[in-house]
Amino acid sequence: MVSKSKKPHFGHESMHTHSQSVEAAVVEQSKATAESILSSKGHDVISVRPTDTIHKVTEVMKEHGIGSVLVKDQNGHMVGILTERDIVRGFADEPDDTFDETAADLMTKEVITATPDTPLLDLLRSMSEGRFRHIPVLDGEHIAGLISIGDVVKFRLRELEYEALKLKQMIVG
Ligand code: AMP
């Protein structure tokens, strides 16, 4: 079954929670977008087929040192996302059978996506509100990359280090 890819809901007018204001304080200076992060980490996305077994998926995750894969059909269309969390849940529910289940059995079909021009703060808000740590970036139909919360933190830390260095140079002359 082909799943719908929902556009992200990035409404900011509503009341901010405490964690949202913390995020805002951390990243409000950043002009970075999803594309800035992808330019730095790369555009490659590891994917599996809906019929691949969970055993195969764990091997793919181990080989690439990643915690999520996109699930794509034979035409290259994204039909879901599958992360470590889904596999842990699968083993808790069905300890004996999970390795033989398929990616389609455990994946999330309603995938929240971003676009290359989505601001960094909106990526974090989306992850925080949706309680997930990965967002595929779509440029029209094309899958432009996949951003994890670790990628966002790493990118922003580099930016902060660079800003601190610039300030230091201004002071020291
Ligand atoms: P994660 O925190 O990314 O490991 O994912 C937690 C749960 O959210 C898992 O059930 C994932 O399949 C799901 N998930 C991860 N990323 C997304 C996304 N971008 N859109 C919708 N669900 C997601």
Side-chain angles (χ1 to χ4, degrees), residues 1-162:
M1 188 176 75
V2 178
S3 66
K4 272 195 308 201
S5 165
K6 273 199 289 187
K7 281 278 170 206
H9 175 66
F10 288 139
H12 302 153
E13 294 75 22
S14 54
M15 255 182 13
H16 288 177
T17 62
H18 173 65
S19 77
Q20 283 172 331
S21 37
V22 171
E23 283 157 18
V26 173
V27 298
E28 68 184 359
Q29 303 293 324
S30 179
K31 300 268 186 293
T33 61
E35 180 51 35
S36 328
I37 297 169
L38 292 179
S39 305
S40 135
K41 75 154 269 200
H43 293 79
D44 289 348
V45 179
I46 307 299
S47 64
V48 299
R49 287 289 180 83
T51 48
D52 283 339
T53 63
I54 296 303
H55 187 218
K56 166 98 188 282
V57 173
T58 59
E59 285 176 343
V60 170
M61 285 179 170
K62 181 183 168 195
E63 182 189 340
H64 295 277
I66 53 175
S68 73
V69 289
L70 287 192
V71 186
K72 293 204 273 187
D73 66 16
Q74 67 274 23
N75 301 317
H77 295 131
M78 179 176 67
V79 293
I81 188 166
L82 182 64
T83 78
E84 293 159 325
R85 184 71 57 89
D86 301 309
I87 296 175
V88 168
R89 202 181 289 137
F91 273 108
D93 291 344
E94 307 275 349
D96 299 330
D97 303 327
T98 295
F99 264 140
D100 297 326
E101 286 188 288
T102 64
D105 291 331
L106 298 190
M107 70 187 185
T108 300
K109 293 174 186 150
E110 294 289 324
V111 184
I112 306 293
T113 60
T115 57
D117 59 0
T118 300
L120 184 148
L121 177 58
D122 288 349
L123 292 172
L124 278 183
R125 279 211 178 107
S126 189
M127 290 189 198
S128 171
E129 283 170 14
R131 294 178 170 275
F132 49 75
R133 296 163 293 179
H134 301 88
I135 299 189
V137 181
L138 295 190
D139 192 358
E141 294 276 287
H142 171 69
I143 299 166
L146 190 144
I147 294 177
S148 74
I149 197 156
D151 298 325
V152 181
V153 171
K154 191 169 158 194
F155 182 89
R156 185 59 187 140
L157 272 179
R158 282 224 205 97
E159 268 194 337
L160 286 169
E161 279 164 13
Y162 180 66

